[in-house]
Amino acid sequence: MSAHNHAEGHGHAHGGAAHGSFRGYLTGFVLSAILTAIPFWLVMTGAIDNKQATAIVIMAFAVVQIVVHMIFFLHMNTGSEGGWSMLALIFTLILVVIVLTGSLWVMYHLNANMMPGLHDMREMP
């Protein structure tokens, strides 16, 4: 049995493209670096004055970066492995929503409750 027939017998894509190529990994890496550098620049320069708007923009970049990782590094697409990719996508989205909302909730409450005396001191004459 040749290597070509062996790969087809196990349901692998023709030519090994399902495992990614150097160009695909390089594209994913460059996109990930850009999607990391832009939010870093936004925060460090204060390009957006409103902190809430900055947080929303950063979360949007995070979601896009997750999609980039899923496509270029996890090789998830619409037609692979009979629905497992869709199940993994749904699980990932649920997990991301839980982690992001939980993190924002914790950070908000830490800010509001960590130093309650500090807020009272500002109101003093």
Side-chain angles (χ1 to χ4, degrees), residues 20-36:
S21 63
F22 179 74
R23 182 178 180 195
Y25 284 122
L26 187 62
T27 303
F29 174 75
V30 169
L31 286 173
S32 295
I34 291 169
L35 291 170
T36 300

Side-chain angles (χ1 to χ4, degrees), residues 21-102:
S21 63
F22 179 74
R23 182 178 180 195
Y25 284 122
L26 187 62
T27 303
F29 174 75
V30 169
L31 286 173
S32 295
I34 291 169
L35 291 170
T36 300
I38 292 173
F40 182 80
W41 174 79
L42 287 173
V43 170
M44 294 305 290
T45 62
I48 302 175
D49 292 332
N50 188 349
K51 290 183 180 182
Q52 289 177 337
T54 303
I56 291 170
V57 169
I58 289 172
M59 284 190 288
F61 274 101
V63 170
V64 172
Q65 191 166 61
I66 289 169
V67 172
V68 167
H69 282 251
M70 289 172 60
I71 292 170
F72 288 100
F73 300 122
L74 298 177
H75 311 294
M76 294 177 70
N77 56 33
T78 56
S80 67
E81 295 158 10
W84 281 106
S85 288
M86 185 55 69
L87 187 62
L89 174 65
I90 292 168
F91 176 74
T92 302
L93 292 175
I94 290 170
L95 197 64
V96 165
V97 167
I98 290 170
V99 168
L100 285 177
T101 55

